[in-house]
PDB file of all heavy atoms in Angstrom:
ATOM      1  N   MET K  20      63.625 126.158 111.451  1.00 85.00           N
ATOM      2  CA  MET K  20      63.908 127.150 110.402  1.00 85.00           C
ATOM      3  C   MET K  20      63.785 128.567 110.936  1.00 85.00           C
ATOM      4  O   MET K  20      62.898 128.865 111.744  1.00 85.00           O
ATOM      5  CB  MET K  20      62.941 126.956 109.223  1.00 85.00           C
ATOM      6  CG  MET K  20      63.294 125.774 108.378  1.00 85.00           C
ATOM      7  SD  MET K  20      62.428 125.767 106.806  1.00 85.00           S
ATOM      8  CE  MET K  20      60.784 125.388 107.294  1.00 85.00           C
ATOM      9  N   LYS K  21      64.663 129.438 110.424  1.00 87.00           N
ATOM     10  CA  LYS K  21      64.647 130.825 110.872  1.00 87.00           C
ATOM     11  C   LYS K  21      63.328 131.498 110.496  1.00 87.00           C
ATOM     12  O   LYS K  21      62.841 132.364 111.207  1.00 87.00           O
ATOM     13  CB  LYS K  21      65.810 131.586 110.226  1.00 87.00           C
ATOM     14  CG  LYS K  21      67.138 131.265 110.886  1.00 87.00           C
ATOM     15  CD  LYS K  21      68.274 131.974 110.203  1.00 87.00           C
ATOM     16  CE  LYS K  21      69.601 131.452 110.741  1.00 87.00           C
ATOM     17  NZ  LYS K  21      70.683 131.625 109.806  1.00 87.00           N
ATOM     18  N   ARG K  22      62.759 131.083 109.357  1.00 85.00           N
ATOM     19  CA  ARG K  22      61.528 131.742 108.910  1.00 85.00           C
ATOM     20  C   ARG K  22      60.378 131.501 109.887  1.00 85.00           C
ATOM     21  O   ARG K  22      59.488 132.336 110.012  1.00 85.00           O
ATOM     22  CB  ARG K  22      61.155 131.315 107.493  1.00 85.00           C
ATOM     23  CG  ARG K  22      60.975 129.850 107.283  1.00 85.00           C
ATOM     24  CD  ARG K  22      60.664 129.560 105.821  1.00 85.00           C
ATOM     25  NE  ARG K  22      60.928 128.162 105.519  1.00 85.00           N
ATOM     26  CZ  ARG K  22      60.750 127.615 104.335  1.00 85.00           C
ATOM     27  NH1 ARG K  22      60.347 128.322 103.338  1.00 85.00           N
ATOM     28  NH2 ARG K  22      61.002 126.341 104.121  1.00 85.00           N
ATOM     29  N   THR K  23      60.398 130.352 110.574  1.00 88.00           N
ATOM     30  CA  THR K  23      59.343 130.078 111.557  1.00 88.00           C
ATOM     31  C   THR K  23      59.462 131.038 112.735  1.00 88.00           C
ATOM     32  O   THR K  23      58.469 131.605 113.193  1.00 88.00           O
ATOM     33  CB  THR K  23      59.440 128.616 112.045  1.00 88.00           C
ATOM     34  OG1 THR K  23      59.489 127.770 110.909  1.00 88.00           O
ATOM     35  CG2 THR K  23      58.267 128.237 112.908  1.00 88.00           C
ATOM     36  N   PHE K  24      60.690 131.241 113.177  1.00 90.00           N
ATOM     37  CA  PHE K  24      60.936 132.164 114.280  1.00 90.00           C
ATOM     38  C   PHE K  24      60.509 133.578 113.874  1.00 90.00           C
ATOM     39  O   PHE K  24      59.837 134.282 114.643  1.00 90.00           O
ATOM     40  CB  PHE K  24      62.422 132.124 114.653  1.00 90.00           C
ATOM     41  CG  PHE K  24      62.803 133.079 115.742  1.00 90.00           C
ATOM     42  CD1 PHE K  24      62.427 132.840 117.055  1.00 90.00           C
ATOM     43  CD2 PHE K  24      63.513 134.231 115.450  1.00 90.00           C
ATOM     44  CE1 PHE K  24      62.763 133.736 118.061  1.00 90.00           C
ATOM     45  CE2 PHE K  24      63.853 135.133 116.439  1.00 90.00           C
ATOM     46  CZ  PHE K  24      63.481 134.887 117.761  1.00 90.00           C
ATOM     47  N   ALA K  25      60.884 133.950 112.649  1.00 89.00           N
ATOM     48  CA  ALA K  25      60.528 135.287 112.154  1.00 89.00           C
ATOM     49  C   ALA K  25      59.013 135.459 112.105  1.00 89.00           C
ATOM     50  O   ALA K  25      58.486 136.526 112.435  1.00 89.00           O
ATOM     51  CB  ALA K  25      61.130 135.495 110.767  1.00 89.00           C
ATOM     52  N   LEU K  26      58.326 134.381 111.732  1.00 86.00           N
ATOM     53  CA  LEU K  26      56.857 134.442 111.663  1.00 86.00           C
ATOM     54  C   LEU K  26      56.235 134.657 113.035  1.00 86.00           C
ATOM     55  O   LEU K  26      55.317 135.470 113.192  1.00 86.00           O
ATOM     56  CB  LEU K  26      56.324 133.126 111.102  1.00 86.00           C
ATOM     57  CG  LEU K  26      56.122 133.059 109.610  1.00 86.00           C
ATOM     58  CD1 LEU K  26      55.630 131.687 109.208  1.00 86.00           C
ATOM     59  CD2 LEU K  26      55.100 134.103 109.173  1.00 86.00           C
ATOM     60  N   VAL K  27      56.752 133.938 114.039  1.00 87.00           N
ATOM     61  CA  VAL K  27      56.220 134.095 115.404  1.00 87.00           C
ATOM     62  C   VAL K  27      56.414 135.537 115.852  1.00 87.00           C
ATOM     63  O   VAL K  27      55.487 136.168 116.386  1.00 87.00           O
ATOM     64  CB  VAL K  27      56.898 133.096 116.373  1.00 87.00           C
ATOM     65  CG1 VAL K  27      56.504 133.376 117.814  1.00 87.00           C
ATOM     66  CG2 VAL K  27      56.530 131.667 116.016  1.00 87.00           C
ATOM     67  N   VAL K  28      57.611 136.081 115.596  1.00 89.00           N
ATOM     68  CA  VAL K  28      57.907 137.460 116.000  1.00 89.00           C
ATOM     69  C   VAL K  28      56.944 138.422 115.299  1.00 89.00           C
ATOM     70  O   VAL K  28      56.350 139.305 115.928  1.00 89.00           O
ATOM     71  CB  VAL K  28      59.386 137.814 115.676  1.00 89.00           C
ATOM     72  CG1 VAL K  28      59.647 139.300 115.900  1.00 89.00           C
ATOM     73  CG2 VAL K  28      60.319 136.969 116.527  1.00 89.00           C
ATOM     74  N   LEU K  29      56.765 138.206 113.996  1.00 87.00           N
ATOM     75  CA  LEU K  29      55.879 139.084 113.219  1.00 87.00           C
ATOM     76  C   LEU K  29      54.446 139.016 113.747  1.00 87.00           C
ATOM     77  O   LEU K  29      53.768 140.035 113.906  1.00 87.00           O
ATOM     78  CB  LEU K  29      55.926 138.662 111.745  1.00 87.00           C
ATOM     79  CG  LEU K  29      55.259 139.586 110.751  1.00 87.00           C
ATOM     80  CD1 LEU K  29      55.922 140.957 110.740  1.00 87.00           C
ATOM     81  CD2 LEU K  29      55.331 138.989 109.343  1.00 87.00           C
ATOM     82  N   PHE K  30      54.012 137.810 114.043  1.00 83.00           N
ATOM     83  CA  PHE K  30      52.667 137.614 114.582  1.00 83.00           C
ATOM     84  C   PHE K  30      52.490 138.345 115.906  1.00 83.00           C
ATOM     85  O   PHE K  30      51.482 139.015 116.134  1.00 83.00           O
ATOM     86  CB  PHE K  30      52.402 136.117 114.788  1.00 83.00           C
ATOM     87  CG  PHE K  30      51.454 135.559 113.783  1.00 83.00           C
ATOM     88  CD1 PHE K  30      51.899 134.759 112.758  1.00 83.00           C
ATOM     89  CD2 PHE K  30      50.106 135.848 113.864  1.00 83.00           C
ATOM     90  CE1 PHE K  30      51.027 134.246 111.831  1.00 83.00           C
ATOM     91  CE2 PHE K  30      49.225 135.339 112.940  1.00 83.00           C
ATOM     92  CZ  PHE K  30      49.683 134.531 111.919  1.00 83.00           C
ATOM     93  N   VAL K  31      53.480 138.177 116.779  1.00 85.00           N
ATOM     94  CA  VAL K  31      53.402 138.821 118.105  1.00 85.00           C
ATOM     95  C   VAL K  31      53.289 140.329 117.918  1.00 85.00           C
ATOM     96  O   VAL K  31      52.455 140.991 118.559  1.00 85.00           O
ATOM     97  CB  VAL K  31      54.631 138.435 118.965  1.00 85.00           C
ATOM     98  CG1 VAL K  31      54.681 139.272 120.238  1.00 85.00           C
ATOM     99  CG2 VAL K  31      54.576 136.965 119.315  1.00 85.00           C
TER     100      VAL K  31
END
Side-chain angles (χ1 to χ4, degrees):
Chain K
M20 284 194 289
K21 283 178 189 155
R22 57 182 161 180
T23 309
F24 178 73
L26 268 178
V27 172
V28 172
L29 190 62
F30 253 106
V31 170

